Amino acid sequence: MSGAGIPCQSDNCKNGKPPSRLECPTCQKLGIQGSFFCDQDCFKANWVRPWHFSRIVTSPLNRPQKTHKIIHSVVSASKAHNKDFNEPGIEGAYIPDWDISFTGKLRPVYPLSPKRAVPDHIPRPDYAERRDGRPVTEERAWGQPPRQLSKEEQDKMRKVCRLAREVLDIAASNVRPGITTDEIDAIVHEETIKRDSYPSPLNYRQFPKSVCTSINEVICHGIPDQRRLREGDIINIDVSLYYQGYHADLNETYPVGKVDDDAWRVMRAARKSLFEAIKQCKPGALFRDIGKTIEPVARDHGCSVVRTYTGHGVNDLFHTAPNIPHYAKNKAVGTMKPGMCFTIEPMINLGGNWGEVHWPDNWTATTTDGKLSAQFEETLLITEDGVEILTKGQPRKDLGEE
Ligand code: MF3
Ligand code: CO
C-alpha cells in the first residue's frame, strides 16, 4: 500500500506531519491501513501500546468503501429494531448511526452521560489536565527498561492496589439485569473519589469515563453508556485507580444472572490462563514465557488469545515497560526482577478468531465474529523469591475456586 498523501500519524510529530511512507509493520500485518510515520522517532513515540491502531482504523480515510451497500442495510435494520435496543425508562436513548457493520448483537446506547468531576484536592496524573489526554510522562519514558521500585514505592503500590480491589468488588456487587453500564461507571467514580483517588481511565487519551465495561463480544475498552445489562450477558469491569502518585489496574468478568456454557467456558479459560501465568512469575523468569503458559490453556478450552492488547508495567505510570504479550512465540524482551510491578491481563475469545474490530468511538474492541470474549487482570509485584498479587481478591466460587 502506498503512503503518499497520508500525514505522519504521530501525535507529537516534530516535523509538521508531512506526507509519510514509513509504515507500522504490525498494522500492515493486521491489515490496518494508513499507519504511516515520517521517521523512526515518530513511529517509536506511537508504539509500545498500539493506540494508533484504533485511531487509524476509524479515521474517515480508512472506512471500507466496498461494503457501503451492506453497511446501509445494516444501519436501517438496526434503526428498524431500535425498539428492541432502546433502553426502557431512559428518555432519549438511541443507537448512534455509525457507518459500520456490527460483528455481534451488542449495540452502543447513547447519549453518553456528561464527564464526571473529580474534586480538586485529589492528586491526578498529567493526562487528566490535558485537552488531548496525552500521558506525556508516560511517553517520555518509552524505551526505558522496566523499573525496580523502592520499598517505599512498593508500599504505595500495595495501598493503591488494595483500594482498587475494593472498588472493583463494590462495582461487581451491583452487576444485575437492568443496571446500565453508565450506572456502574457512576458507582466506580464515587467509590474511587471517596478513597481520595483519581479514576485512571478518565481522560486517558481522551477516554470519556472512569471505568471500562466490556459486554459479551467486546474484548476490552468498552465505554459505559445507557445500555442495560441483560440476563445471560457477561461483563468485564476494568478498574484503575491513581492514589498518591501510583496506579493500580485490575479487572474481572462476571455473569449477569444465568449464563450459558459458552460463557462459563470463556470465563474459565481467561481466569485459569491468568493464574497459571502468575504461578510462573519470579526473579529470573522471562516476560516472553508468560504467553507460552496462557495460549495452551486457551486452546484447551476451544478459545484463542487476543494479540493486539498486552499486559504492561504499572507504577507511577499507567502503562509502561515491560510489554507483555499473552500469546505463545512472542518476542517480548526482559527478565523479571524484584521490585518490578506489571499486569497480566489475557483477553480470550471463544473459537479460533483472535482478531478484533473497533467501533468508531475510538475505543471499543470487539471480536470479529461476534463470539464472546472474557478477561481477567491483576497487578503483580516481583519479590525476592516469587510474586505478590497486589490486587488479589476472594476466590471466584462461581468459577470453581475454593
Ligand atoms: N485498564 C486498561 C488496561 O488494563 C486500560 C484502559 S485505558 C482506558 O490496561 F483509557 F481505556 F481506560
Ligand atoms: Co492493564
Side-chain angles (χ1 to χ4, degrees):
M1 195 199 359
S2 152
I6 297 187
C8 177
Q9 298 289 311
S10 172
D11 280 333
N12 44 353
C13 177
K14 307 255 178 345
N15 311 318
K17 304 199 181 212
S20 303
R21 298 192 157 275
L22 180 66
E23 188 172 15
C24 168
T26 308
C27 284
Q28 193 187 34
K29 251 191 264 156
L30 292 169
I32 292 163
Q33 299 179 5
S35 192
F36 289 92
F37 299 91
C38 65
D39 64 16
Q40 282 290 346
D41 287 342
C42 279
F43 171 62
K44 278 199 215 125
N46 269 268
W47 181 240
V48 182
R49 281 171 78 85
W51 298 114
H52 59 280
F53 294 173
S54 54
R55 175 155 40 82
I56 290 156
V57 168
T58 55
S59 90
L61 253 179
N62 298 293
R63 295 256 171 80
Q65 296 303 313
K66 59 180 191 298
T67 51
H68 215 63
K69 271 217 178 91
I70 304 168
I71 283 166
H72 276 289
S73 61
V74 170
V75 169
S76 29
S78 83
K79 268 190 189 149
H81 291 115
N82 229 348
K83 241 184 14 210
D84 290 354
F85 298 118
N86 227 344
E87 299 304 339
I90 299 175
E91 190 84 32
Y94 64 93
I95 298 167
D97 225 349
W98 291 342
D99 208 7
I100 60 159
S101 24
F102 291 99
T103 65
K105 289 188 184 153
L106 187 76
R107 297 293 179 274
V109 183
Y110 278 29
L112 297 186
S113 61
K115 189 174 177 189
R116 296 184 207 283
V118 177
D120 281 340
H121 73 272
I122 295 178
R124 61 201 66 215
D126 59 354
Y127 56 79
E129 308 285 8
R130 296 177 58 96
R131 274 177 70 88
D132 63 7
R134 268 179 51 209
V136 175
T137 39
E138 221 174 87
E139 290 178 4
R140 281 202 201 103
W142 286 350
Q144 298 292 115
R147 230 157 55 70
Q148 294 174 266
L149 305 188
S150 69
K151 292 286 173 236
E152 292 70 35
E153 290 184 289
Q154 293 175 25
D155 282 338
K156 299 262 193 188
M157 286 300 295
R158 285 192 183 91
K159 173 75 182 178
V160 65
C161 287
R162 199 164 46 79
L163 297 177
R165 165 53 70 179
E166 289 173 10
V167 173
L168 176 61
D169 287 350
I170 292 168
S173 71
N174 284 280
V175 167
R176 59 171 178 275
I179 194 170
T180 67
T181 48
D182 186 61
E183 287 163 347
I184 294 174
D185 182 71
I187 292 165
V188 167
H189 189 86
E190 288 309 312
E191 294 297 331
T192 298
I193 64 181
K194 251 191 227 172
R195 289 165 176 77
D196 287 331
S197 301
Y198 180 90
S200 308
L202 187 61
N203 206 47
Y204 183 81
R205 296 189 181 279
Q206 300 182 320
F207 189 82
K209 293 284 147 201
S210 299
V211 65
C212 300
T213 51
S214 301
I215 297 170
N216 298 344
E217 67 265 32
V218 177
I219 293 169
C220 64
H221 299 165
I223 298 172
D225 65 11
Q226 309 306 322
R227 185 188 181 279
R228 294 186 188 285
L229 297 185
R230 303 176 190 176
E231 175 115 26
D233 287 341
I234 60 173
I235 178 171
N236 178 278
I237 305 181
D238 190 342
V239 166
S240 313
L241 261 65
Y242 181 76
Y243 179 72
Q244 293 189 357
Y246 292 80
H247 294 270
D249 195 6
L250 83 161
N251 71 56
E252 293 200 21
T253 304
Y254 305 94
V256 181
K258 249 177 106 61
V259 302
D260 65 17
D261 292 347
D262 277 351
W264 289 115
R265 180 156 57 92
V266 70
M267 286 193 287
R268 277 175 187 271
R271 180 87 178 170
K272 181 159 187 230
S273 69
L274 168 59
F275 281 88
E276 299 273 305
I278 292 173
K279 276 191 217 152
Q280 312 228 323
C281 294
K282 59 176 184 201
L286 303 177
F287 291 115
R288 66 161 183 258
D289 287 342
I290 286 174
K292 229 193 254 181
T293 305
I294 291 171
E295 192 165 307
V297 177
R299 282 172 185 272
D300 283 350
H301 287 74
C303 295
S304 51
V305 179
V306 170
R307 298 173 77 91
T308 302
Y309 298 99
T310 58
H312 54 91
V314 57
N315 43 49
D316 56 325
L317 303 173
F318 190 6
H319 298 107
T320 188
N323 181 50
I324 307 178
H326 304 294
Y327 52 89
K329 294 185 190 151
N330 68 75
K331 295 186 167 56
V333 287
T335 304
M336 299 178 200
K337 298 190 184 99
M340 288 181 178
C341 277
F342 56 86
T343 72
I344 304 179
E345 48 181 301
M347 282 141 271
I348 304 296
N349 297 351
L350 267 189
N353 296 323
W354 47 260
E356 73 257 336
V357 170
H358 289 94
W359 285 359
D361 60 14
N362 262 305
W363 286 100
T364 310
T366 71
T367 56
T368 58
D369 52 14
K371 290 189 179 148
L372 296 178
S373 185
Q375 181 184 23
F376 290 84
E377 172 179 31
E378 306 274 9
T379 295
L380 309 171
L381 166 67
I382 298 300
T383 59
E384 290 302 323
D385 54 1
V387 61
E388 205 176 303
I389 307 176
L390 300 181
T391 43
K392 195 169 178 66
Q394 296 301 117
R396 281 288 298 266
K397 294 210 171 112
D398 59 341
L399 291 168
E401 294 172 5
E402 264 312 290

